[in-house]
């Protein structure tokens, strides 16, 4: 009996050994006839139960099978068996990556779409533990287009979304936007994009930014429901977004209660659907998170009710709920900046209600009270004291929607007299004013920034809001240059490959810096190759409505110093002719160094000069980005 016949017979058995299939030698000899057949999963299962020597002998046959198998169910089950078996995973994971990449790249061929989908899912699972596989996977995902086969695109959208949440690579969001153009993938990719925007909101640096990003996520979730009203996950997250925004903006507890009821229905419906079939292990954390959000929102609704009361009957129990929400970043672990969504309303309620402060002080006086929550209680007390200095009355505008403004107005009546739009504008300006002075806790970055800022004091345009925005941009560029000297392939992936290449181009730096600034400066209009500025085309245009800053980028072969940079400053300064006299010149330095690259402080200087036939000076912050970097271990 041939090996193929033995494999077919084994389908009806619960399990088969290598001996049942004819033995290792017979299987190897029959490999050309069996690898493309529909029994790959049976062969893999038998190999998983074999000895180490037999598994090693059959590894090439299994790899041939994964490259040639044409039966989706057998291919999928065989991949699952390999990745669920430690012995097989250790043996095959790395060589399997190249095979899976081949199957994914062959997705457009007839009959290969579903096989490519299963290959990409397996590649994702390997990428969770193998950095090399991760780079291959992210490279494939970044290149997916709007022309992908429908079935493949539908599943790929979920994988791309999961990859974004795992590694936070910005180009994956562009991929999701492109996949929205594929009819079969449109709802799924819109949902994944909405989930990504929601994740960005939870990590936003300010309350205004968080609320703006949540509004974008909300629109995308609604788009999903318009296309597919039965999407329970979209209903659930829509309720989550509305509840978090409602709490932050001071929504009445009764309205929050209605949102919570809607969320409960959506999550229950979602969990009921998921119970019908198995959920992939790599997707289970997302499903678990939906249930955890239900707990978070429930706590938020209860806290909103308690904050409206002047005093509590069971202070210790209720304050525990408040502190869990107040320290959400540490206790809930669903976002790095949840604190900013909950803290202002909680702090302002304590400021208004003397009874709540009394509860807090009484519990803090009890040295045995809840040691786990004591640090949070102490932080809350400090925040209250900062909001409520002893020598000044306080106000609470719009239920603490404007916490910074409430701390500077002289009395309560002044707050009541302010229109809501004016109060919001003042709150935003105060936040920008404060953030402008909160420099990163990095001595070198601060020193570079402060030296340039001091030197710019003579520039008449370096004032007010122009100064604030210029400082924001300068800090981002310093941070970018610092990161690019520190980053390696494990942390930054393929986006920094040009910094190790002799063939790097100005366009590589332009793309990298644009992505950095677009992701970190949500208030700016960051664009590349903008025409119609000083009769030319800009490399990077950073707009703020009434004014803009231009970043001119160059590549230089050899070492760069101020004398070299002078050869490029003319074009960079030209863009200041019709705008504020502040700008940037960035130079990609391609030099084959014997020793280490220049220090960060050596990469920044301010060039102040008066162009020929002009009277007014131009101010140009020049920075160089060292290229052709080498690993420290290779330097003498």
């Amino acid at each position: 009996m041939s090996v193929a016949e033995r494999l077919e017979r084994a389908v009806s058995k619960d399990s088969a050994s290598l001996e049942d299939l004819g033995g290792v030698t017979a299987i190897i000899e029959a490999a050309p006839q069996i690898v493309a057949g529909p029994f790959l999963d049976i062969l893999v299962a038998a190999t998983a139960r074999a000895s180490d020597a037999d598994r090693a002998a059959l590894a090439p046959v299994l790899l041939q099978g994964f490259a040639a198998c044409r039966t989706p169910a057998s291919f999928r089950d065989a991949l699952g068996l390999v990745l669920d078996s430690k012995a097989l995973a250790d043996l095959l994971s790395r060589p399997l990556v190249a095979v899976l990449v081949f199957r994914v790249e062959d997705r457009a061929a007839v009959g290969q779409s579903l096989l490519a989908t299963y290959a990409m899912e397996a590649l994702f699972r390997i990428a969770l533990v193998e950095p090399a596989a991760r780079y291959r996977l992210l490279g494939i995902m970044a290149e997916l287009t709007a022309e992908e086969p429908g079935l493949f695109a539908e599943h790929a959208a979920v994988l791309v979304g999961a990859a974004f949440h795992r590694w936070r690579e910005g180009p994956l969001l562009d991929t999701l936007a492109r996949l929205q153009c594929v009819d079969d993938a449109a709802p799924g990719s819109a949902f994944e994009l909405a989930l990504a925007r929601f994740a960005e909101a939870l990590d936003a640096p300010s309350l205004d930014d968080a609320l703006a990003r949540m509004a974008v996520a909300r629109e995308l979730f609604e788009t999903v429901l318009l296309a597919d009203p039965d999407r329970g996950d979209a209903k659930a997250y829509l309720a989550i977004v509305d509840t978090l925004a409602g709490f932050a903006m001071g929504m009445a507890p009764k309205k929050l209660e209605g949102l919570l009821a809607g969320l409960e229905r959506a999550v229950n419906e979602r969990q009921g659907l998921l119970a019908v079939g198995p959920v992939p292990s790599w997707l289970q954390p997302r499903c678990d998170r939906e249930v955890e959000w239900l707990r978070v929102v429930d706590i938020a609704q209860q806290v909103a009710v308690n904050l409206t009361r002047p005093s509590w009957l069971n202070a210790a129990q209720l304050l525990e709920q408040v502190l869990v929400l107040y320290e959400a970043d540490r206790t809930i672990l669903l976002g790095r900046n949840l604190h900013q969504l909950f803290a202002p309303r909680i702090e302002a309620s304590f400021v208004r209600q003397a009874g709540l402060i009394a509860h807090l002080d009484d519990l803090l006086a009890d040295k045995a009270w809840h040691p786990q929550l004591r640090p949070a209680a102490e932080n809350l007390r400090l925040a209250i004291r900062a909001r409520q200095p002893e020598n000044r009355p306080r106000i609470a505008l719009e239920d603490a929607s404007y916490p910074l403004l409430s701390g500077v107005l002289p009395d309560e009546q002044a707050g009541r007299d302010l229109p809501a739009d004016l109060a919001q504008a003042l709150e935003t300006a105060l936040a920008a004013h404060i953030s402008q002075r909160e420099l990163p806790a990095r001595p070198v970055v601060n020193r570079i920034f402060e030296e340039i800022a001091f030197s710019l004091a003579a520039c008449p345009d370096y004032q007010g809001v122009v100064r604030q925005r210029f400082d924001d941009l300068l800090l981002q560029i310093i941070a970018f240059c610092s990161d690019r000297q520190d980053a390696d392939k494990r942390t930054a992936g393929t986006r920094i490959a040009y910094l190790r290449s002799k063939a790097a181009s100005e366009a590589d730096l332009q793309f990298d810096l644009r992505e950095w600034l677009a992701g970190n400066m949500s208030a700016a209009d960051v664009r590349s190759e903008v025409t119609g500025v000083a009769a030319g085309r800009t490399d990077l245009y950073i707009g703020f409505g009434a004014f803009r800053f231009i970043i001119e980028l160059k590549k230089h072969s050899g070492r760069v110093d101020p004398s070299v940079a002078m050869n490029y400053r003319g074009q960079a300064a030209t863009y200041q002719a019709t705008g504020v006299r502040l700008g940037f010149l960035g130079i990609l330095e391609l030099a084959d160094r014997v020793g280490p690259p220049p220090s960060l402080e050596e990469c920044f200087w301010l060039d102040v000069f008066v162009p020929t036939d002009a009277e007014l000076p131009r101010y140009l912050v020049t920075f160089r980005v060292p290229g052709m970097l080498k690993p420290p271990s290779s330097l003498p």
Side-chain angles (χ1 to χ4, degrees):
M1 183 182 298
S2 69
V3 173
E5 291 171 331
R6 290 173 183 270
L7 281 167
E8 189 170 357
R9 175 181 290 186
V11 172
S12 60
K13 296 183 178 181
D14 292 336
S15 63
S17 66
L18 293 180
E19 288 70 24
D20 293 335
L21 301 178
V24 172
T25 301
I27 293 172
I28 293 174
E29 291 175 351
Q33 290 77 45
I34 63 174
V35 291
F39 308 116
L40 179 60
D41 53 327
I42 297 172
L43 181 57
V44 170
T47 307
R49 293 187 292 271
S51 66
D52 290 346
D54 287 346
R55 278 196 293 268
L58 288 174
V61 177
L62 297 184
L63 291 173
Q64 291 176 48
F66 283 115
C69 183
R70 296 189 295 269
T71 307
S74 179
F75 183 72
R76 175 200 61 204
D77 293 345
L79 286 170
L81 289 168
V82 168
L83 298 178
D84 291 337
S85 165
K86 185 178 185 307
L88 284 178
D90 290 344
L91 179 66
L92 294 176
S93 284
R94 290 186 179 180
L96 190 55
V97 167
V99 175
L100 295 175
V101 169
F102 163 74
R103 298 307 298 256
V104 174
E105 291 177 343
D106 195 39
R107 58 190 177 272
V110 177
Q112 296 299 310
S113 184
L114 186 55
L115 288 161
T117 297
Y118 293 142
M120 193 168 180
E121 180 178 330
L123 188 58
F124 179 89
R125 291 182 62 183
I126 296 174
L128 293 175
V129 294
E130 290 284 350
R134 182 190 317 161
Y135 302 135
R136 301 290 293 275
L137 174 69
L138 292 175
I140 291 172
M141 288 181 167
E143 294 177 356
L144 296 181
T145 72
E147 307 300 322
E148 301 297 337
L151 179 63
F152 173 81
E154 182 179 359
H155 291 80
V158 179
L159 289 164
V160 172
F164 173 80
H165 290 284
R166 183 75 181 191
W167 298 298
R168 294 300 177 91
E169 292 288 341
L172 297 179
L173 299 183
D174 297 331
T175 298
L176 290 173
R178 291 194 297 271
L179 291 178
Q180 283 188 276
C181 300
V182 183
D183 290 342
D184 292 342
S189 54
F191 175 79
E192 296 299 333
L193 195 56
L195 211 56
R197 297 303 184 194
F198 180 53
E200 289 179 332
L202 299 180
D203 292 341
S206 69
L207 178 59
D208 287 341
D209 195 15
L211 293 174
R213 292 175 187 269
M214 281 200 288
V216 173
R218 191 185 194 287
E219 291 181 5
L220 287 165
F221 284 129
E222 286 187 324
T223 299
V224 176
L225 289 174
L226 285 174
D228 184 359
D230 296 326
R231 289 281 304 242
D233 49 2
K235 291 179 185 177
Y237 275 102
L238 190 61
I240 291 166
V241 168
D242 285 345
T243 305
L244 294 181
F247 186 97
M249 298 299 292
M251 182 180 286
K254 279 293 183 183
K255 291 186 177 180
L256 287 176
E257 186 178 347
L259 291 173
L260 175 62
L263 175 59
E264 286 179 328
R265 287 193 300 271
V267 170
N268 290 335
E269 175 186 332
R270 167 84 166 149
Q271 295 301 312
L273 290 173
L274 292 175
V276 174
V279 176
S281 59
W282 57 270
L283 201 53
Q284 187 62 49
R286 180 182 295 183
C287 301
D288 294 341
R289 194 171 294 120
E290 292 172 15
V291 177
E292 191 175 355
W293 272 118
L294 186 59
R295 179 176 70 89
V296 174
V297 172
D298 183 39
I299 294 173
Q301 194 274 331
Q302 294 179 50
V303 168
V305 172
N306 295 329
L307 292 178
T308 62
R309 298 171 181 168
S311 185
W312 298 328
L313 182 60
N314 190 341
Q317 179 181 343
L318 296 181
L319 188 61
E320 181 176 338
Q321 288 181 332
V322 171
L323 292 175
V324 165
L325 202 65
Y326 186 71
E327 292 286 280
D329 301 349
R330 301 187 189 93
T331 57
I332 295 172
L333 301 178
L334 289 174
R336 290 179 291 185
N337 282 339
L338 276 174
H339 179 81
Q340 69 184 5
L341 290 171
F342 302 129
R345 185 172 181 181
I346 292 172
E347 292 168 4
S349 295
F350 274 79
V351 169
R352 287 197 309 274
Q353 306 289 356
L356 303 188
I357 297 178
H359 289 321
L360 181 60
D361 289 340
D362 288 344
L363 291 169
L364 283 173
D366 180 3
K367 300 301 182 184
W369 176 76
H370 220 311
Q372 291 85 3
L373 290 177
R374 178 171 291 277
E378 292 171 346
N379 289 337
L380 176 57
R381 193 64 185 91
L382 288 173
I384 294 168
R385 191 171 290 115
R387 284 172 173 266
Q388 191 181 32
E390 295 298 328
N391 60 349
R392 190 179 71 216
R394 299 88 180 159
I395 65 166
L397 292 177
E398 297 289 323
D399 201 11
S401 292
Y402 316 109
L404 298 176
L405 186 57
S406 68
V408 298
L409 289 177
D411 53 45
E412 186 173 352
Q413 187 58 43
R416 291 199 184 103
D417 293 341
L418 284 176
D421 56 348
L422 177 58
Q424 181 62 63
L426 291 171
E427 181 75 9
T428 301
L430 283 169
H433 183 71
I434 291 171
S435 65
Q436 186 261 334
R437 284 166 171 73
E438 293 178 350
L439 298 180
R442 301 171 66 179
V444 176
V445 171
N446 293 350
R447 190 158 56 245
I448 295 170
F449 171 80
E450 288 167 355
E451 288 178 358
I452 293 176
F454 179 80
S455 301
L456 282 170
C459 176
D461 290 332
Y462 189 60
Q463 306 289 336
V465 67
V466 173
R467 174 174 180 166
Q468 292 174 18
R469 296 307 189 188
F470 189 84
D471 287 351
D472 291 343
L473 181 55
L474 175 59
L475 279 169
Q476 287 297 335
I477 291 175
I478 299 172
F480 168 85
C481 291
S482 174
D483 180 84
R484 289 309 182 253
Q485 285 206 41
D486 283 337
D488 59 16
K489 291 182 179 179
R490 291 185 179 182
T491 57
T494 57
R495 69 172 59 193
I496 64 164
Y498 73 97
L499 293 176
R500 272 75 180 164
S501 172
K502 295 180 180 179
S505 68
E506 172 188 320
D508 293 324
L509 175 60
Q510 180 190 48
F511 176 83
D512 193 16
L513 182 56
R514 183 206 170 278
E515 292 293 294
W516 176 281
L517 296 176
N520 289 300
M521 300 190 70
S522 58
D525 178 18
V526 181
R527 289 183 281 164
S528 57
E529 303 296 331
V530 176
T531 59
V533 180
R537 184 173 60 185
T538 68
D539 285 332
L540 288 178
Y541 175 105
I542 317 298
F544 295 95
F547 57 93
R548 82 278 172 131
F549 305 117
I550 304 301
I551 304 175
E552 178 66 17
L553 298 172
K554 296 293 183 183
K555 179 193 76 171
H556 181 81
S557 297
R559 296 176 181 267
V560 174
D561 58 28
S563 62
V564 171
M566 287 176 60
N567 297 319
Y568 302 112
R569 70 183 185 183
Q571 182 178 351
T574 299
Y575 297 118
Q576 299 178 22
T578 57
V580 295
R581 284 179 282 128
L582 290 162
F584 294 85
L585 169 63
I587 304 175
L588 177 61
E589 180 189 71
L590 299 182
D592 189 8
R593 305 174 194 83
V594 177
S599 68
L600 189 63
E601 288 179 280
E602 295 173 299
C603 293
F604 282 84
W605 60 86
L606 178 66
D607 192 357
V608 183
F609 71 101
V610 178
T612 304
D613 298 326
E615 297 180 0
L616 299 176
R618 309 285 172 94
Y619 298 82
L620 202 61
V621 175
T622 303
F623 61 98
R624 60 172 167 172
V625 180
M628 296 173 61
L629 297 177
K630 302 172 183 177
S633 59
S634 69
L635 298 176

